[in-house]
Amino acid sequence: MHEGQPSQTAIMAAAARAAHLVVDREPFIFRDTVAASLLGELAEEIIGYHRIHGDHLILSGTRAQVTARSHYTERRLAELVRDGLEQYVILGAGLDTFAQRSGPAGRVTVFEVDHPATQQWKRGLIEASGLDCPVFVPADFETGDPLPALTAAGFDPSRPALVSWLGVSMYLTGEAIDATLAAVGRLAPGTELVMEYALSAPLRDERGAAYADSALPAAAERGEPWLSFFTPDDLSDTLKRHGLETAEHVRQADSVIPTLWNRSDPLRPADLCRLTRATVG
């Protein structure tokens, strides 16, 4: 992490969402029509790399991962908004574009919690592209509880929210994960958390293990090593300890309707990272 810049992971995730609509074929798993505009001049270079090498396990695997988790989370958000939910918190938002896209965004207040350096970079990208800004909440997950900053930004902890935490927990220590889950567990009853987590090595399938063998050393080399891994039972126990009841654990293959995996491009699900949905009682 450098001052004024996001992590490389944030850039790669946004580029993969953008590239999905260019490199892959229908049916599209997720339509992020804003990511390319947000990335600006970076977009063509990175999307071009997907065009040339898009069949590679890491690139196709990243596109599958980021589109499937976004599809699942925003589908759940839409369901909750129809039932009256008004607050959406994105922990480790990176270059997420929900606040800039159509749909239920106009009926829910979006709070993006992330490292100040990432938000400084993103604010510049948003201003350059003429897009709408969410409510930015600067925080460092390794150093403290994000709840006071959220409240100061206008979040109402007495009302339910959906909290998404995608592509983050694997880069954090166990202590930082505990601190964030404790904060979520103190939110209003009815609050839901959608969290992505990395599986312990023995539980990965063949494709997930192959992806990990290539991606994890590369992540460590760029200064963003994967630090935390869970079994579903271990994570459920951790969530319960912080006042959250697990509703489901979801494999990537099951996070979207099955027909979306009937594909003529290289996107295939891998069991390396899963999603869990949990509720505050």
Side-chain angles (χ1 to χ4, degrees):
M1 183 71 67
H2 302 288
E3 192 62 30
Q5 296 183 19
S7 71
Q8 290 300 305
T9 299
I11 295 174
M12 290 166 58
R17 295 195 307 270
H20 176 52
L21 299 180
V22 176
V23 175
D24 300 314
R25 302 180 183 91
E26 294 192 20
F28 294 125
I29 295 173
F30 184 74
R31 293 177 182 269
D32 190 335
T33 56
V34 175
S37 297
L38 183 64
L39 286 166
E41 20 182 82
L42 279 174
E44 193 51 46
E45 176 186 351
I46 304 175
I47 293 173
Y49 196 69
H50 277 267
R51 284 182 188 272
I52 298 169
H53 305 288
D55 289 355
H56 190 280
L57 174 64
I58 297 301
L59 294 179
S60 63
T62 299
R63 296 197 306 279
Q65 179 183 6
V66 300
T67 55
R69 73 191 187 193
S70 294
H71 176 115
Y72 174 90
T73 304
E74 293 193 15
R75 182 182 65 213
R76 183 57 183 157
L77 176 62
E79 294 168 353
L80 293 171
V81 168
R82 284 196 296 269
D83 291 337
L85 186 87
E86 297 179 343
Q87 301 185 112
Y88 179 36
V89 178
I90 309 175
L91 299 178
L95 299 181
D96 187 276
T97 64
F98 175 78
Q100 288 78 45
R101 285 183 274 112
S102 59
R107 290 175 280 143
V108 64
T109 303
V110 182
F111 299 89
E112 292 196 2
V113 183
D114 213 336
H115 193 283
T118 296
Q119 293 185 335
Q120 180 182 341
W121 172 283
K122 185 173 185 177
R123 188 183 296 275
L125 293 176
I126 287 174
E127 291 172 355
S129 56
L131 299 168
D132 294 330
C133 271
V135 179
F136 284 124
V137 182
D140 185 339
F141 295 107
E142 287 289 358
T143 60
D145 178 353
L147 190 52
L150 261 172
T151 303
F155 177 81
D156 184 351
S158 70
R159 291 163 46 221
L162 176 65
V163 180
S164 71
W165 202 17
L166 307 178
V168 179
S169 69
M170 58 284 296
Y171 299 101
L172 300 178
T173 62
E175 292 79 5
I177 292 171
D178 279 337
T180 299
L181 292 178
V184 175
R186 295 196 300 273
L187 299 181
T191 292
E192 289 194 8
L193 169 70
V194 175
M195 173 183 173
E196 184 180 29
Y197 64 98
L199 281 174
S200 299
L203 298 182
R204 300 168 191 164
D205 65 5
E206 183 177 355
R207 189 173 181 87
Y211 185 100
D213 287 345
S214 296
L216 270 61
E221 282 184 15
R222 65 174 182 264
E224 297 177 335
W226 289 31
L227 301 175
S228 293
F229 305 88
F230 293 93
T231 69
D233 287 344
D234 287 344
L235 182 55
S236 289
D237 290 344
T238 300
L239 290 163
K240 190 174 184 65
R241 195 167 68 245
H242 295 299
L244 290 145
E245 285 294 332
T246 301
E248 60 180 347
H249 290 279
V250 185
R251 298 182 310 148
Q252 191 180 105
D254 302 323
S255 61
V256 302
I257 59 174
T259 54
L260 289 179
W261 295 121
N262 295 333
R263 314 194 59 82
S264 58
D265 56 40
L267 264 63
R268 301 291 182 273
D271 205 14
L272 169 60
C273 295
R274 293 186 186 175
L275 297 171
T276 188
R277 183 169 61 85
T279 60
V280 178

